[in-house]
């Protein structure tokens, strides 16, 4: 099932270009900082997915200790919750064995697709559609990942590379 968050602030977004730093296949990801009051629905959804996975695991493995993976969200002392959403940019489908490439659909406030030449920087205000996916891994434990589907931008923050200089008038009279 697909869900939509409330609007929040984008932190460290990789939404228009994939991040290849720790994954050669690339990954789109973003952390979304939301007011704690606005985050309760999504927290409930995530906790329900994990609880169902724990119940299934306990039923299939009676008496075995349940290990918990890290949650895909964290609370801050200043009244916010930060969610972590991600999407693989490419890979091989485990069921069909076919190679795939994907990217999130990004819409502006009018629901028009964001032009390809735009980039989304931290501080942008957006909301995300996502699919919570419960998992049970031998090494990681039982948890939930938030699969990024699409993004709607309410306020776009774009930046440019700051090289530390400002424009100056040329001094043609001085010769080195």
């Amino acid at each position: 099932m697909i869900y939509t968050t409330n609007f929040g602030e984008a932190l460290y977004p990789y939404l228009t270009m994939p991040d290849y730093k720790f994954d050669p296949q690339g990954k789109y990801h973003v952390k979304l900082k939301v007011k704690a009051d606005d985050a309760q629905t999504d927290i409930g959804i995530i906790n329900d997915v994990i609880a169902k996975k724990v119940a299934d695991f306990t039923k299939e493995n009676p008496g075995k200790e349940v290990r918990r993976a890290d949650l895909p969200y964290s609370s801050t002392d200043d009244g916010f919750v930060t969610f972590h959403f991600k999407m693989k940019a490419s890979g091989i489908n485990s069921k069909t064995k076919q190679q795939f490439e994907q990217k999130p659909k990004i819409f502006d406030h009018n629901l028009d697709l964001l032009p390809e030449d735009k980039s989304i920087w931290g501080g942008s205000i957006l909301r995300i559609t996502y699919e919570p996916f419960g998992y049970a891994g031998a090494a990681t434990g039982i948890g939930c990942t938030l699969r990024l589907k699409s993004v709607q931008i309410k306020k776009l923050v774009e930046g440019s590379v700051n090289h530390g200089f400002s424009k100056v008038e040329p001094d043609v009279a001085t010769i080195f």
Side-chain angles (χ1 to χ4, degrees):
M1 186 159 225
I2 305 295
Y3 300 95
T4 303
T5 67
N6 284 306
F7 283 100
E9 179 184 357
L11 306 174
Y12 312 108
Y14 277 86
L15 295 169
T16 52
M17 297 274 298
D19 181 5
Y20 293 99
K21 188 169 185 175
F22 298 110
D23 186 349
Q25 295 176 327
K27 181 171 66 170
Y28 293 98
H29 59 95
V30 62
K31 291 184 178 186
L32 186 68
K33 183 178 173 184
V34 180
K35 291 180 185 174
D37 292 342
D38 294 339
Q40 296 310 306
T41 300
D42 297 306
I43 289 172
I45 291 166
I46 294 164
N47 291 342
D48 288 347
V49 168
I50 293 170
K52 181 176 180 344
K53 204 68 177 168
V54 167
D56 292 346
F57 179 84
T58 305
K59 186 177 178 182
E60 294 169 10
N61 304 285
K64 193 168 184 183
E65 180 184 352
V66 176
R67 292 190 47 217
R68 299 284 184 119
D70 292 338
L71 292 170
Y73 65 87
S74 59
S75 298
T76 60
D77 293 337
D78 59 351
F80 288 92
V81 174
T82 303
F83 295 96
H84 190 187
F85 301 90
K86 52 190 172 181
M87 168 192 276
K88 288 184 177 208
S90 64
I92 297 176
N93 185 301
S94 61
K95 293 178 184 168
T96 65
K97 305 299 182 208
Q98 297 292 315
Q99 189 160 343
F100 70 88
E101 287 188 18
Q102 62 184 355
K103 60 194 278 185
K105 295 267 189 204
I106 303 173
F107 301 95
D108 66 11
H109 64 286
N110 289 323
L111 296 179
D112 295 322
L113 286 173
L114 191 71
E116 294 283 327
D117 63 338
K118 297 283 186 184
S119 61
I120 302 169
W121 284 51
S124 294
I125 304 301
L126 47 90
R127 65 179 168 184
I128 296 172
T129 60
Y130 69 97
E131 178 185 16
F133 180 77
Y135 62 87
T140 57
I142 295 175
C144 179
T145 187
L146 305 178
R147 292 179 171 171
L148 174 64
K149 297 297 180 184
S150 61
V151 175
Q152 182 184 19
I153 300 171
K154 187 175 189 178
K155 176 186 163 200
L156 178 63
V157 174
E158 284 189 287
S160 60
V161 177
N162 181 358
H163 41 69
F165 297 113
S166 60
K167 287 186 178 183
V168 295
E169 289 297 318
D171 188 356
V172 293
T174 307
I175 300 181
F176 295 86

